[in-house]
Amino acid sequence: MNPQAKMIFTISLLLGTTITISSNHWIMAWAGLEINTLAILPMISKSHHPRAIEAATKYFLTQATASALVLFSSMTNAWYTGQWDITQLTHPTSCLILTSAIAMKLGLVPFHFWFPEVLQGSPLITGLLLSTMMKFPPITLLFMTSPSLNSTLLTCMALLSTALGGWMGLNQTQIRKILAFSSISHLGWMAIIITYNPKLTLLNFYLYALMTATVFLALNSIKASKLSTLMTTWTKIPPLSATLLLALLSLAGLPPLTGFLPKWLIIQELTKQNMAVAATTISLLSLLSL
């Protein structure tokens, strides 16, 4: 890909994200999401490999469906309440449709099927963008609409995401698929707390983005895409391999490391909300991914 095209797509990505996170009107938020989707598609398919083209097609179809649902839910809400403001989402049907649409955009269970496939077909740097930057606008929309969301639905989705993320990641040999299931599992932790303490969700997301960026950039510099290639990197670049090991353990949430901090705070908050059963369940399920 030539530098001019890469620069245009990067600027479009930043622009789309900025429009969505700074908008008050649903149409503006939707426009930002669409710009983001269209900017990342050429980055996924730039190698012209059949798998990359397949990944780009899957990504486009899923995101187009989710964007249509976002628009439909906001129109339904505007029809009943006369409000296009993002924070004024009050109609129950609109809330349900919006939760499903954002779950589809993020890759929460049961709308997770596209994410591991798309990540597997993308280059590592594009995979990093898909796992971090592309998740930021939908999470911002969840953050802004959090007071009116259905907490029961989000809790069910979150528990299923954490279970499936850990369980499906167990017997994978492809590193990108393992990271995709790790992302699904982390999204479960973010979704369970969003209606009770939205700031904790953002803290969790920031730390997750930092750790995922570390892992992806380390993998990119050692050019590893399978677990078998990781086993031989220790002899080549020992410091980077040690950093990668610590980043992966932190991503899994091993207690003394940074990745455990948001999980600890979320468990504490859930216990305060009399959701000790949910807190215990999600903690036990995250042991799978560890």
Side-chain angles (χ1 to χ4, degrees):
M1 189 186 287
N2 67 13
Q4 288 89 347
K6 195 175 262 187
M7 189 179 78
I8 289 169
F9 297 137
T10 311
I11 290 170
S12 300
L13 268 179
L14 291 168
L15 179 71
T17 306
T18 311
I19 288 173
T20 303
I21 65 177
S22 59
S23 57
N24 281 323
H25 198 286
W26 273 114
I27 298 289
M28 286 298 284
W30 170 80
L33 291 171
E34 284 298 299
I35 292 169
N36 254 0
T37 304
L38 293 173
I40 198 86
L41 284 173
M43 292 187 175
I44 299 172
S45 59
K46 70 180 175 187
S47 65
H48 298 296
H49 189 274
R51 180 169 274 180
I53 304 297
E54 184 191 341
T57 311
K58 282 179 179 170
Y59 185 76
F60 172 71
L61 291 173
T62 315
Q63 298 298 312
T65 311
S67 293
L69 282 174
V70 167
L71 208 52
F72 179 62
S73 73
S74 54
M75 280 170 67
T76 313
N77 188 63
W79 181 269
Y80 282 104
T81 62
Q83 287 283 347
W84 279 99
D85 197 317
I86 290 179
T87 52
Q88 302 296 320
L89 189 78
T90 50
H91 196 259
T93 314
S94 299
C95 292
L96 281 174
I97 298 170
L98 182 86
T99 310
S100 307
I102 291 183
M104 197 183 284
K105 272 205 165 295
L106 289 169
L108 274 169
V109 174
F111 308 105
H112 66 285
F113 299 104
W114 64 273
F115 190 55
E117 299 293 324
V118 171
L119 211 63
Q120 183 57 35
S122 311
L124 279 167
I125 296 297
T126 311
L128 168 61
L129 287 174
L130 284 170
S131 302
T132 55
M133 194 172 172
M134 300 302 289
K135 300 263 165 95
F136 190 44
I139 280 182
T140 313
L141 289 179
L142 272 186
F143 181 82
M144 288 193 276
T145 55
S146 57
S148 51
L149 293 175
N150 186 330
S151 56
T152 315
L153 176 68
L154 278 167
T155 306
C156 293
M157 278 182 170
L159 291 172
L160 282 170
S161 297
T162 316
L164 197 125
W167 183 45
M168 295 289 282
L170 284 176
N171 55 354
Q172 297 291 338
T173 55
Q174 297 287 338
I175 294 174
R176 277 170 293 187
K177 276 200 173 173
I178 294 172
L179 287 168
F181 287 117
S182 153
S183 175
I184 292 168
S185 181
H186 275 83
L187 284 168
W189 281 90
M190 290 176 218
I192 200 165
I193 202 70
I194 188 108
T195 46
Y196 305 107
N197 193 340
K199 286 181 182 172
L200 262 185
T201 298
L202 281 187
L203 172 72
N204 196 340
F205 179 74
Y206 294 146
L207 288 175
Y208 158 76
L210 190 71
M211 293 179 295
T212 305
T214 310
V215 172
F216 268 104
L217 293 170
L219 290 171
N220 189 50
S221 59
I222 55 182
K223 298 286 178 282
S225 61
K226 290 193 183 76
L227 283 179
S228 53
T229 44
L230 266 186
M231 293 170 191
T232 56
T233 54
W234 182 256
T235 49
K236 296 176 197 167
I237 325 168
L240 191 61
S241 300
T243 310
L244 184 58
L245 172 70
L246 284 170
L248 283 168
L249 286 173
S250 182
L251 198 57
L254 195 69
L257 300 164
T258 319
F260 180 64
L261 172 73
K263 292 183 177 180
W264 186 18
L265 293 171
I266 288 169
I267 291 166
Q268 205 174 2
E269 185 63 34
L270 286 173
T271 316
K272 281 181 192 167
Q273 300 289 344
N274 295 324
M275 288 177 68
V277 178
T280 311
T281 313
I282 202 166
S283 310
L284 291 173
L285 289 173
S286 69
L287 288 176
L288 282 171
S289 54
L290 180 63

